[in-house]
Amino acid sequence: MLVLVTGGAGFIGSHIATALTEAGHGVRVLDALLPAAHTVPPDVAPEVDFVRADVRDPAAVEEALRGVDAVCHQAAMVGLGKDFGDAPDYVSCNDLGTAVLLAAMARGTVHRLVLAGSMVVYGEGRYDCARHGMVRPGPRRVSDLDAGRFEPRCPHCGEPLRPGLVDEDAPVDPRNVYATTKLAQEHLAAAWARAVDGTAVSLRYHNVYGPGMPRDTPYAGVAALFRSALERGESPRVFEDGGQRRDFVHVRDVATANVAALESEAMTGMLRPYNVGSGTPHTVGEMATALATEYGGPAPVVTREYRLGDVRHITASSRRIQEELGWSATVGFGAGMAEFAKAPLRGGRG
């Protein structure tokens, strides 16, 4: 089939385009080449049909959809950003862009969508209290964070909690602007699927890393920030105490998850979410240490700084995607970090 990959010249999108081509599919890429994540011209394979345009441009999207069988929607402004002043840009890029795309798809004949979702829609992950079972901690308090009390406590008894794996049926609780826009994208996709009897899958990516991440931009993920620091000869700066648990998943595994979702017999008239993670949690401190060791130093520095929009622990249960789509991650943490420590980064101008 011919697949339109929005944002297909970006970090994740370019790997998806490669995986689709290797799987025998035709690929058309639509990308605005925003300077925070791209150099110009982009590194696009010659067999890929490339369209430079913004997903918020209705005429360009309409033209890009001609002859397309499915859409893999990756175009988005990512990361926590710098402050709340970024909110209009996030809403415009992510939610308006998705609405323009889905409206064009509803007018045409393309009824299959795979959306780049995110684990940020959950807020905090799963926690268990020894006395009260599974609980949902509230937002962390500034007074606790200032005092270095980073771990959430049971909202009923105040005792320490044990973090676990979050599944797709967990309540959503977006805690920053980016997370709010990613949840809105899912709601828009679900409404579109009902309206046109289409198939929609949201792949809720966990912490994606790998070759081609953008360097030196405040919108990059933590792995790219650490890798950029090492490239400058600086120590990675680890916030809080480094004990934040995450699921670091390699970008090539994310790409094959998209291929599996596009080729699946997804249910019509609804949106089906899937966690996309490695299934093996690691702390942010462990990741920084692994990168610095493989790169050859300098060692990470734990700063005990914090960002109010961050959550403490969020790690994935990827059982659903394994059972329903037959996908599982293949790149282990050690091998992935060893590769990423020496891999080239994307020369963004953010």
Side-chain angles (χ1 to χ4, degrees), residues 135-220:
V135 298
R136 297 283 296 173
R140 295 189 293 173
R141 295 179 295 186
V142 171
S143 58
D144 285 336
L145 297 171
D146 284 342
R149 295 188 293 268
F150 302 120
E151 292 289 346
R153 300 222 164 218
C154 177
H156 307 295
C157 65
E159 290 300 306
L161 297 174
R162 184 176 66 253
L165 302 182
V166 66
D167 64 27
E168 294 85 351
D169 294 325
V172 291
D173 183 19
R175 297 194 176 185
N176 56 60
V177 171
Y178 171 62
T180 302
T181 65
K182 295 307 289 184
L183 183 58
Q185 284 185 304
E186 289 195 357
H187 288 318
L188 287 166
W192 166 84
R194 288 192 295 270
V196 303
D197 199 30
T199 64
V201 166
S202 178
L203 299 179
R204 291 175 175 170
Y205 304 156
H206 283 246
N207 288 73
V208 186
Y209 73 96
M213 290 191 85
R215 62 161 58 87
D216 296 326
T217 165
Y219 303 98

Side-chain angles (χ1 to χ4, degrees), residues 166-336:
V166 66
D167 64 27
E168 294 85 351
D169 294 325
V172 291
D173 183 19
R175 297 194 176 185
N176 56 60
V177 171
Y178 171 62
T180 302
T181 65
K182 295 307 289 184
L183 183 58
Q185 284 185 304
E186 289 195 357
H187 288 318
L188 287 166
W192 166 84
R194 288 192 295 270
V196 303
D197 199 30
T199 64
V201 166
S202 178
L203 299 179
R204 291 175 175 170
Y205 304 156
H206 283 246
N207 288 73
V208 186
Y209 73 96
M213 290 191 85
R215 62 161 58 87
D216 296 326
T217 165
Y219 303 98
V222 66
L225 295 177
F226 289 169
R227 177 66 173 74
S228 296
L230 290 166
E231 198 170 75
R232 297 192 302 269
E234 301 172 3
S235 295
R237 295 175 60 82
V238 180
F239 280 17
E240 301 186 18
D241 59 1
Q244 310 94 301
R245 287 161 58 92
R246 298 291 187 267
D247 188 320
F248 298 100
V249 58
H250 196 279
V251 66
R252 287 196 299 274
D253 284 328
V254 170
T256 59
N258 276 268
V259 176
L262 284 162
E263 293 178 342
S264 71
E265 294 299 322
M267 291 174 280
T268 60
M270 62 176 291
L271 177 136
R272 185 71 165 161
Y274 295 97
N275 286 332
V276 178
S278 71
T280 306
H282 290 273
T283 69
V284 172
E286 288 172 343
M287 188 266 286
T289 299
L291 268 184
T293 299
E294 294 292 345
Y295 192 85
V301 173
V302 177
T303 69
R304 303 189 76 81
E305 298 170 90
Y306 65 86
R307 298 188 301 180
L308 192 58
D310 280 338
V311 297
R312 180 61 177 176
H313 303 299
I314 175 69
T315 53
S317 168
S318 296
R319 176 181 294 181
R320 176 183 289 180
I321 194 171
Q322 293 168 5
E323 293 178 350
E324 296 187 8
L325 303 187
W327 175 90
S328 60
T330 61
V331 181
F333 179 79

